[in-house]
Amino acid sequence: QVKLVESGGGLVQAGGSLRISCSASGFISNINAMGWYRQAPGKQRELVAGITSGGSTNYADSVKGRFTISRDNAKHTVYLQMNSLKPEDTAVYYCSANSGLRDYWGRGTSVTVSS
């Protein structure tokens, strides 16, 4: 099994920055893509950003130019640098990893952006 643990969430004012991280442990040798999803109150979970082991990235339109996903393969950790935060970014952010056979999820870290 793969365990994903997110950290770094918190309360930040609009326009501020925050970096959240996700560390993977367990059976991780075959993980390729990792990413961040978020679920805002009353909303469905949505993809925020994804990254492959080779470094290819993709972002939701709502965060392009503001968020940056990165990955440290040696540390089995993925990061999300969030800049110019908006109140609408408020959500629980979940880390995800894919082994090619199944998806794994962390428990989430809460990000609240105040105006």
Side-chain angles (χ1 to χ4, degrees):
Q1 60 184 191
V2 173
K3 182 179 181 180
L4 303 174
V5 179
E6 303 96 335
S7 62
L11 175 65
V12 63
Q13 291 186 335
S17 298
L18 199 65
R19 189 182 76 160
I20 55 177
S21 62
C22 170
S23 296
S25 62
F27 188 69
I28 57 177
S29 61
N30 294 121
I31 291 176
N32 52 353
M34 296 186 71
W36 289 97
Y37 289 71
R38 68 186 181 188
Q39 187 167 16
K43 301 291 186 179
Q44 288 283 97
R45 188 188 303 168
E46 64 175 349
L47 174 68
V48 177
I51 187 168
T52 69
S53 59
S56 298
T57 60
N58 65 291
Y59 298 90
D61 289 341
S62 59
V63 307
K64 287 180 179 177
R66 299 188 298 119
F67 290 10
T68 302
I69 188 170
S70 61
R71 181 173 179 174
D72 186 334
N73 290 329
K75 295 182 178 180
H76 310 295
T77 301
V78 64
Y79 306 92
L80 186 67
Q81 178 67 47
M82 301 181 288
N83 298 326
S84 301
L85 282 162
K86 304 174 181 179
E88 49 263 46
D89 295 318
T90 295
V92 176
Y93 285 72
Y94 296 92
C95 180
S96 178
N98 180 263
S99 69
L101 297 175
R102 61 178 293 180
D103 297 321
Y104 300 91
W105 296 91
R107 291 184 179 272
T109 186
S110 181
V111 173
T112 301
V113 184
S114 64
S115 59

